[in-house]
């Protein structure tokens, strides 16, 4: 069953100056968020398969919207992340069911790769609360320059019986990275780590 979507929000953040210094190539992050009805709000059910399928559909939809907002070819995306903000009548497992079993496959297909685990978070919140989408390099989790996050919020969501599902993508790492570690030029992209 397709998710019942109340609204979709797309956010683009472009950093031009960081720590008082101009950024040679502005860093850009884009997040696409869908506010959906939680079919299991206020109840406990064993079978969360309906949310697995909804996550798969949202992975494709939100990934495509975030990539389009960046204005680059999806294959040129460097980092990714996902998050859910669950309304008061929902369970944390509802957010997990949307993100983990199936959301990643269509997102990776869109990007043409994505060997690393997709960083994720889930949080129960009220309408208008901020939540973070953790970010990491799509092909190598050990690229420190891409350890990041994007804070997002929707003023009227999630309502008690809703979940906000978010996917974030970037065209680069953090501005002025200098904490060492594996660089993006050294990525092999085989095991998701290096």
């Amino acid at each position: 069953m397709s998710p019942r979507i109340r609204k979709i929000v797309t956010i683009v953040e472009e950093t031009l100056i960081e720590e008082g210094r101009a950024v040679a190539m502005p860093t850009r992050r884009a997040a696409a968020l869908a506010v959906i009805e939680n079919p299991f709000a206020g109840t406990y059910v064993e079978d969360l398969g309906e949310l697995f399928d909804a996550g798969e559909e949202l992975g494709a939809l939100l990934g495509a919207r975030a990539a389009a907002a960046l204005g680059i070819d999806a294959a040129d995306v460097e980092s990714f992340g996902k998050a859910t903000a669950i309304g008061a009548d929902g369970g944390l497992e509802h957010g997990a069911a949307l993100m983990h079993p199936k959301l990643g496959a269509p997102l990776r297909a869109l990007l043409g790769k994505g060997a690393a685990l997709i960083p994720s978070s889930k949080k129960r919140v009220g309408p208008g609360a901020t939540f973070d989408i953790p970010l990491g390099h799509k092909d190598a989790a050990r690229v420190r320059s891409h350890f990041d996050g994007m804070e997002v919020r929707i003023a009227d969501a999630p309502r008690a019986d809703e979940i906000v599902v978010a996917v974030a993508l970037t065209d680069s790492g953090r501005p002025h990275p200098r904490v060492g570690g594996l660089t993006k030029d050294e990525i092999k992209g085989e095991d998701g780590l290096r």
Side-chain angles (χ1 to χ4, degrees):
M1 177 187 232
S2 291
R4 187 166 177 205
I5 300 173
R6 179 167 66 87
K7 69 166 58 174
I8 297 174
V9 175
T10 305
I11 303 164
V12 178
E13 179 182 306
E14 185 171 7
T15 301
L16 306 170
I17 298 172
E18 177 73 14
E19 297 179 73
R21 295 184 59 165
V23 178
M25 294 281 298
T27 62
R28 295 170 43 104
R29 303 178 202 161
L33 300 83
V35 179
I36 69 165
E37 178 182 275
N38 182 350
F40 305 127
T43 62
Y44 178 90
V45 298
E46 278 296 323
D47 183 358
L48 298 174
E50 184 177 332
L51 293 177
F52 299 171
D53 295 339
E56 182 174 32
E57 189 173 323
L58 291 168
L61 172 70
L62 299 177
R65 291 215 180 195
L70 283 175
I72 62 174
D73 187 277
D76 294 329
V77 165
E78 292 191 10
S79 294
F80 55 16
K82 59 188 177 181
T84 55
I86 301 115
D89 290 344
L92 291 177
E93 201 66 7
H94 299 161
L98 283 160
M99 286 190 295
H100 299 306
K102 294 187 176 181
L103 186 145
L107 182 58
R108 286 184 173 87
L110 172 75
L111 303 179
K113 202 163 182 185
L117 288 174
I118 304 170
S120 67
S121 69
K122 61 198 86 38
K123 182 178 182 181
R124 188 177 295 111
V125 300
T130 60
F131 63 102
D132 293 328
I133 308 168
L135 293 163
H137 197 283
K138 70 177 183 178
D139 293 318
R142 292 189 176 171
V143 178
R144 291 183 199 154
S145 60
H146 288 60
F147 294 174
D148 205 355
M150 184 174 182
E151 183 179 78
V152 296
R153 71 180 285 275
I154 298 177
D156 66 344
R159 295 174 181 162
D161 63 347
E162 292 178 331
I163 300 173
V164 179
V165 182
V167 169
L169 304 174
T170 75
D171 67 358
S172 56
R174 295 185 315 280
H176 311 308
R178 51 194 190 278
V179 296
L182 187 71
T183 67
K184 68 180 186 178
D185 297 337
E186 299 170 327
I187 293 171
K188 293 182 182 165
E190 296 166 359
D191 63 2
L193 297 175
R194 297 177 186 81

